[in-house]
Amino acid sequence: MYSLLCQHTNVGGQARKLSERTAIADSQLSHFQQSEKPSRVRNWLEHNEFGQQALLFVVMMGTCMLIGDGVLTPAISVLSAIEGIQTEVPSISNNVVVWVSALLLVLVFCGQSYGTEKVAFLFSPVMVLWLLTNPMVGIYNVIKFYPTIFKAFSPQYIYTFFQKNGKQGWKMLGGLVLCITGSEAMFADLGHFNRLSIQVAFCFGVYPSVLLTYAGQTAFLINHPEYYLQGYFIQIPKSIFWPMFVIATLAAIVASQGLISATFSVIKQSVALDYFPPVKIVHTSENTEGQVYSPEVNYVLLVLCLAVVFGFQSATQIGNAFGVAVVCVMVITTCLMTIIMLVIWDAKGPFAFTFFTVFIIVEGSYFSVVLWKIPDGGWLPFILSIIFTLIMAIWNYGRQKKFEYERKNKLSKKELGQLLSSIGDHRVPGVCFFYTDLFHGVPPIVQHYVRNVRTLHQVLIFTTIRHIPVKTVLPAERFLVGRIGFKGVYRCVARYGYRDLISSERTYFLDQVTQCLTEHIGSALDVSDNPDDIEAEEERLKEVEMIKEAQAAGAVYVIGRSEFKVDRNASWMNRLFAGVLYPFLNSISRSSISALHIPPASCLEVGMYYDLT
């Protein structure tokens, strides 16, 4: 949702200002859509710095709550399924249940590296069995214990329930939260299926199955209220208990898989938008872009899941934390959806207000109830969310400070000319890709590089990797290229969507950029400083020949590795965030070499201190 807002509006936590030509080129991408007529809400948001920061904070909290959901879902799903064995075999201790659950979680997370596609052949049969057997058990219990249970669907009983129970009835809503969990992460399925298939499966498969299952449980509990703490496994007929126990355990693993995949996906998008430290992202499917895997994230989730299982040792306690995370995600989603309706869809105020009011009343009621569960385990998702939000905020702060320093201290064209004159005409054969965050101008680290190396390559290309808040960028539209004004010096902006994979392996990146240079200088993809200058065809042919010669000689990739040198008189935020926390995160994160898939033998890192006052 935030990616969508960034795409349609001039908002975002990144302080990168594009040139007019780059912005126009972005708007012409095939997968880039932009509102034609800005609404009043959009104008207010684009010109209100506090509003943008508040929006970014809410988005970060929601993202981190979803990550917390990815920790709690596997823990509660597997533990609650294994706890069912105590219904049939009461002699089994809780310690055995906890250790068996932990072993299953280890197996689930170790299997993530194979990808969803390779283990998905188990998912469909398991879910079909789950969705068929549960309503069958439910129908059996309805017929046997309370055939008129379906009258409970009448809204009259909702009114009667609250009228009779008052405040106690309101508190009982907390017990219903787990009945709606899972729907908040349904978007994760969009990485594997289209929207229509999800809608059809939910409306005609999942929803009727859930209604019949709960109706059967309710019918059983009306006749056996003493078993209210064991509502699911106790209502299964003894003759089919063990088959249902196996199916329930497998279904719990499938449910865990959904949120784990969602966590991989949301972190990948956060990294692409520069709001999270770089992590390794592996695409596990050649055909489906949404199926990704991250080793670092996977093992962090595993450790946190095991900590939750061994720490709480009860699905009931984990359920309190789980309910808080789910409802918070739902409330934040409703708020963001309302903003999208007003900013992007240009919906009428009354319609958006009605949508927000209806959903926020329902979700707000649940939210007010789950707050009472904070002392009983509900504090965990808030702690996890605060930790991950701090990581995202620190990383974003450090990246902004780095970009601001480079923008203020960038080399002018005159200074670049003097720098090139100082080394004369003696150039090293080949192409040098100099990576920078600047979309316009030359970063100060170039001067530092020349002073130490005292030479430059035959062709110098200042390369900026731009992550655009769209799903993907077509290969033909990926690169913007142009001259900077001197012989053999060019600029390249490589644009990627949040589902695109950056690859500089072998000569792929070199071949693509040089081909774009030779074909598109003077075309619509030209972002030269003086694109209107028309040179003689003979000069152009010489330039093309020079680029091809440099391409044949090979390429070197230069990456700046900057460190902040914070003045003692700097603000406490600069001293803490830029001077301590950001360098720590940067030191334990994957290097740009790994993130950009640059061949290590062709890479050169140049270090430089950035002074912050």
Side-chain angles (χ1 to χ4, degrees), residues 89-124:
V89 188
S91 59
I92 293 181
S93 67
N94 194 59
N95 285 335
V96 173
V97 170
V98 170
W99 279 99
V100 172
S101 300
L103 178 61
L104 276 178
L105 285 172
V106 171
L107 293 177
V108 168
F109 281 98
C110 288
Q112 294 301 311
S113 60
Y114 294 101
T116 304
E117 192 175 41
K118 291 184 175 62
V119 296
F121 71 94
L122 290 174
F123 291 178
S124 296

Side-chain angles (χ1 to χ4, degrees), residues 331-405:
V331 170
I332 292 174
T333 301
T334 297
C335 295
L336 292 177
M337 192 66 192
T338 305
I339 295 174
I340 288 175
M341 292 172 68
L342 294 171
V343 173
I344 300 176
W345 297 351
D346 199 19
K348 300 298 182 182
F351 177 76
F353 177 77
T354 303
F355 167 84
F356 178 78
T357 302
V358 170
F359 278 87
I360 209 66
I361 287 176
V362 176
E363 295 167 357
S365 300
Y366 284 111
F367 182 72
S368 63
V369 174
V370 297
L371 290 179
W372 289 86
K373 296 186 176 183
I374 290 179
D376 300 322
W379 50 268
L380 180 60
F382 284 104
I383 296 297
L384 291 175
S385 181
I386 290 172
I387 292 174
F388 283 110
T389 301
L390 280 174
I391 291 174
M392 295 180 74
I394 292 167
W395 184 259
N396 185 49
Y397 184 86
R399 294 291 294 171
Q400 283 193 5
K401 288 297 179 183
K402 178 178 180 292
F403 176 76
E404 289 173 4
Y405 180 89

Side-chain angles (χ1 to χ4, degrees), residues 17-35:
K17 302 299 181 182
L18 306 180
S19 66
E20 183 180 354
R21 288 191 298 275
T22 305
I24 293 174
D26 284 353
S27 66
Q28 294 173 345
L29 291 173
S30 298
H31 292 278
F32 195 95
Q33 299 175 352
Q34 197 167 32
S35 306

Side-chain angles (χ1 to χ4, degrees), residues 166-205:
K167 183 178 179 180
Q168 189 61 29
W170 168 71
K171 288 186 176 181
M172 290 181 184
L173 284 176
L176 302 178
V177 171
L178 297 184
C179 296
I180 58 175
T181 56
S183 58
E184 83 287 352
M186 197 177 297
F187 80 92
D189 295 328
L190 289 172
H192 309 272
F193 308 101
N194 59 48
R195 183 171 56 184
L196 179 61
S197 63
I198 295 174
Q199 292 172 335
V200 171
F202 181 81
C203 294
F204 298 101

Side-chain angles (χ1 to χ4, degrees), residues 15 52 90 105 192 207 255 262 265 273 325 333-334 472 542 555-556:
Q52 293 184 30
L105 285 172
H192 309 272
Y207 192 59
S265 178
L273 295 174
T333 301
T334 297
T472 185
K542 288 182 179 179
V556 63

